[in-house]
Structure formats: C-alpha cells, structure tokens
Amino acid sequence: MSSPALLSLLRCGRSAVARQTLLAARSSHETSGQVGGALLGVVGTRRASGSTRFDSDGSGRPVTWDSFGIWDNRIEEPILLPSSIRYGKPIPQVSLSRVGSASVLGLRKQNEDRLRIARIHDNLLYFAVFDGHGGPHAADYCHTFMEKFIRDALEDDDDLERVLKKAFLDVDKALHTHLSYFNNASFLTAGTTATVAMLRDGVELVVGSAGDSRAMLCRKGRANKLTKDHTPDREDERQRIQRFGGFVTWNSVGVANVNGRLAMTRSIGDFHLKSSGVIAEPDTRRLTVHHASDSFLALTTDGINFLLSDQEICDVINQCHDPTEAADVIAEQALQYGSDDNATIIIVPLGAWGKHQSSNAVYSISRNFCSSGRWA
C-alpha cells in the first residue's frame, strides 16, 4: 500500500473513533443532565472499544467529586464536560453565583474601589479589581470598559497574556480621551490600579496587574502570590522612573512616591506622571489550575493586603464556610487591624475549596499602618 493511501486510511479511522466517542459523551450528558446533591458530576472513562463509560470501576455508579478528593461537598457543581474531554481529566465548573466579593468604605469619604465579575464567553470568566485614587473617574471607566477592550482584543488574538496587555494599554488611551472632554486638568490626575484574572476552560488562569492590587492563589493551604506590587521601592521600577526624568521621595512614614505624588509606578490614568515613567503596561502571568489542590483565587486592593499578609488571607478564608462569608470576614478583618482605606476582595472558589482548613491561625499584632496619606 502506498504511503499517501496509508495516511488517508489512518486519518479516516481516527476521525471515526473521535466522532463515536464525542457522540457517546454527548448522549450521556444530555440524558444525565446536571446532577446535584450527593452526585456532583460524572466523568467519562474511555474504554478500548472507543465508547465512553461514566463509572470508573464498572459498577454502574456515577463518579462524584468525592471519588477524586476534590470539590468539597459544600460546593455542588457539575463538571465542564467539553473541557474535561479536551484535557482528559475532570474539571469542575466555576459558577459566578458561587464567587464571593466585598467592598467596604473604611474611613475614607468615598469608596473609589471597583470590582467586576463577568462571563466573557461560555468558557471564559473575567474577574477584576480597580483601586482608584485622585477621584473615582479612572476606576469607574475601567470598571465599565475594561471588559469591552478585552473582548475587542480577543477578536484578533487568542493568547490571553497578549490580550490583557493590549486591553490595559487601549483602556489607558481611551481614558485619556474621555477625561480630556471635560476640560478639567484635575480629572487627568485621576488614576487606578488594575488587577484582572481570566479563567479559560476552568483550567487556564492568566493574571494581569498594574499597580499594587494583588492576586493570590491558595494551593494546598499555602498562599501563592501571582502579582508583584509596582512601587518605587523596587529597583527596576525606580530605575525606569529615573530614566524618564522622574524622581522618588519618601514621606514621613517611609512610603516611596513618584515625584512626591504617587505610591506606585504603574497605573491606568495618572496622565500628569506619564512623562515621568509611570506606565499602564501590566505584568502578566499564566498558570494551570490544579483543582485537586487549589482552593481559591483571591483578588485584593491595598486596603486589605497592606494589613494582612497573603498567608493570613489564605488562612482566614480557609476557615470560612463559603466565599461570600469569607469576603465579608476578610474586609472586616482589615478594618479591625487599622485600615482606613477602602478594602475590596473577590474570592473565586476552585476544586479544593474547603479541603485545606487552618484551625489554629495565629496573627501578629504588628501591622503596617502606612496606608493612610499615600497620595498627595
């Protein structure tokens, strides 16, 4: 048999097996539907014949998340069937209704923090926190339009890191145009941090951040920081400011500021400091979610993360029953520890939610009280 004929036969055979497997999975999914209560989801196990079984041991009983040691039984969600088939492993659905969030005023006159939780596509979720300063104008604009610029970038590029970088820069340019319409110079001094997380297929997590709001992943009960604060204390950031002709000063409580005005070196807005090296380009990071060991993703503004360490946040959340309760507890905890800033948090539960509880958390009473008076 000739080589072209052999290759053609192999392709046809592979396509037939793939179609048979997909039809079997689709049929089983349609007849079983979404399973609640004790049966949180079912997982297809491929047999040698190419058909699909939804029991791992041949007993006829569907597989639950307890069988895999993931997805605590307080979170009753089915699997994402297409993603599970694509990646060859069970992937729990992350429902937006389960996501917890809180935003408190603190001792400020107004809350300039904003948060956003949305579904961009069936398989793509969007989470963001914005911490405004110099007025709420920049944070309001990002809250309203960042998602639009992400959607626009997705039309031309599938790489989420490049999408986030383009969206941050585009929203920064659009904000300048928007604020210029008001013919008020003070509006152009408004700015905001931006920390955005995108979860695709329940597995691919990409985070982009500019400023000092943070993203943290709790894995096996330990806090894994996904972002780095953009502050003048960082040598690489300070060198860029100085190359652009800017300077760094320290206030009476030891907080470094760009030109004595801004406690961060990257932000959206702050157009009066762009010529001094303040940029809107985010740092990005991509990682794979392991639902068997990852409990949650948390996004926080500095009203929280200047008073609570990442591990403290992780420990407190792990003691809470659900993400909504956890978000409220964290926000109130920050206020009790002396935060006078707005405090905002988003908590996204993942497969190991409730699996790694911290029963004996001990917190230091030594706190960073430098959060006040951070902007002139």
Side-chain angles (χ1 to χ4, degrees), residues 249-356:
T249 60
W250 283 260
N251 63 19
S252 59
V253 291
V255 176
N257 289 270
V258 177
N259 292 4
R261 300 292 302 278
L262 185 66
M264 65 191 71
T265 53
R266 301 192 190 195
S267 67
I268 294 174
D270 293 303
F271 298 107
H272 62 305
L273 295 174
K274 290 294 196 241
S275 61
S276 297
V278 174
I279 60 176
E281 181 178 355
D283 281 336
T284 60
R285 182 174 177 182
R286 183 197 310 271
L287 69 155
T288 300
V289 173
H290 302 293
H291 285 280
S293 55
D294 294 342
S295 301
F296 60 85
L297 168 72
L299 309 183
T300 57
T301 61
D302 64 354
I304 290 173
N305 56 50
F306 271 29
L307 275 297
L308 291 163
S309 71
D310 291 337
Q311 190 58 48
E312 286 174 335
I313 294 172
C314 190
D315 290 341
V316 171
I317 293 175
N318 278 329
Q319 296 177 63
C320 295
H321 179 73
D322 60 68
T324 298
E325 174 196 358
D328 292 335
V329 169
I330 288 292
E332 292 301 322
Q333 192 82 68
L335 296 182
Q336 291 177 17
Y337 282 156
S339 175
D340 65 353
D341 199 358
N342 309 143
T344 298
I345 183 170
I346 294 175
I347 301 172
V348 183
L350 301 173
W353 175 267
K355 184 177 179 181
H356 306 286

Side-chain angles (χ1 to χ4, degrees), residues 80 119-125:
L80 288 171
R119 183 182 300 277
I120 292 183
H121 297 306
D122 288 342
N123 67 334
L124 183 60
L125 303 181

Side-chain angles (χ1 to χ4, degrees), residues 160-171:
L160 293 183
E161 286 191 275
R162 291 197 296 265
V163 163
L164 281 181
K165 288 182 179 181
K166 185 177 189 306
F168 272 55
L169 296 176
D170 287 349
V171 78

Side-chain angles (χ1 to χ4, degrees), residues 39-352:
L39 303 181
L40 306 184
V42 293
V43 178
T45 303
R46 185 170 297 174
R47 305 166 78 185
S49 63
S51 63
T52 302
R53 289 190 61 91
F54 287 88
D55 55 342
S56 59
D57 55 4
S59 65
R61 293 190 302 271
V63 178
T64 70
W65 291 120
D66 289 339
S67 306
F68 293 94
I70 62 174
W71 204 249
D72 182 84
N73 58 16
R74 291 171 295 178
I75 302 293
E76 300 179 355
E77 297 291 351
I79 65 168
L80 288 171
L81 189 59
S83 299
S84 298
I85 293 173
R86 184 180 303 115
Y87 287 89
K89 58 185 177 181
I91 301 170
Q93 173 179 297
V94 177
S95 295
L96 297 186
S97 61
R98 302 289 188 182
V99 176
S101 64
S103 186
V104 297
L105 178 65
L107 299 181
R108 296 296 176 91
K109 293 181 179 179
Q110 62 178 327
N111 192 341
E112 296 176 341
D113 284 0
R114 299 292 184 268
L115 63 88
R116 178 71 174 151
I117 301 166
R119 183 182 300 277
I120 292 183
H121 297 306
D122 288 342
N123 67 334
L124 183 60
L125 303 181
Y126 163 80
F127 311 98
V129 294
F130 307 102
D131 184 354
H133 49 265
H137 318 296
D140 280 338
Y141 192 86
C142 288
H143 171 266
T144 303
F145 293 106
M146 177 66 82
E147 185 180 341
K148 172 192 177 300
F149 286 102
I150 288 175
R151 290 177 183 273
D152 291 345
L154 282 169
E155 293 181 359
D156 301 320
D157 200 337
D158 192 52
D159 185 292
L160 293 183
E161 286 191 275
R162 291 197 296 265
V163 163
L164 281 181
K165 288 182 179 181
K166 185 177 189 306
F168 272 55
L169 296 176
D170 287 349
V171 78
D172 186 63
K173 294 176 183 177
L175 175 63
H176 184 272
T177 302
H178 171 71
L179 294 180
S180 298
Y181 286 145
F182 295 96
N183 197 27
N184 187 331
S186 66
F187 283 11
L188 294 174
T189 65
T192 184
T193 71
T195 296
V196 176
M198 301 179 71
L199 182 63
R200 182 159 57 188
D201 291 326
V203 172
E204 182 186 1
L205 177 63
V206 174
V207 176
S209 183
D212 56 11
S213 297
R214 295 180 185 173
M216 178 265 291
L217 180 72
C218 181
R219 174 167 288 177
K220 295 183 178 180
R222 304 300 300 174
N224 289 266
K225 192 173 180 180
L226 305 182
T227 57
K228 293 182 179 180
D229 296 351
H230 296 120
T231 64
D233 293 316
R234 285 177 48 176
E235 183 176 357
D236 55 341
E237 294 292 303
R238 183 168 64 251
Q239 288 178 351
R240 187 186 68 253
I241 296 297
Q242 293 171 344
R243 285 198 308 270
F244 275 77
F247 60 91
V248 175
T249 60
W250 283 260
N251 63 19
S252 59
V253 291
V255 176
N257 289 270
V258 177
N259 292 4
R261 300 292 302 278
L262 185 66
M264 65 191 71
T265 53
R266 301 192 190 195
S267 67
I268 294 174
D270 293 303
F271 298 107
H272 62 305
L273 295 174
K274 290 294 196 241
S275 61
S276 297
V278 174
I279 60 176
E281 181 178 355
D283 281 336
T284 60
R285 182 174 177 182
R286 183 197 310 271
L287 69 155
T288 300
V289 173
H290 302 293
H291 285 280
S293 55
D294 294 342
S295 301
F296 60 85
L297 168 72
L299 309 183
T300 57
T301 61
D302 64 354
I304 290 173
N305 56 50
F306 271 29
L307 275 297
L308 291 163
S309 71
D310 291 337
Q311 190 58 48
E312 286 174 335
I313 294 172
C314 190
D315 290 341
V316 171
I317 293 175
N318 278 329
Q319 296 177 63
C320 295
H321 179 73
D322 60 68
T324 298
E325 174 196 358
D328 292 335
V329 169
I330 288 292
E332 292 301 322
Q333 192 82 68
L335 296 182
Q336 291 177 17
Y337 282 156
S339 175
D340 65 353
D341 199 358
N342 309 143
T344 298
I345 183 170
I346 294 175
I347 301 172
V348 183
L350 301 173

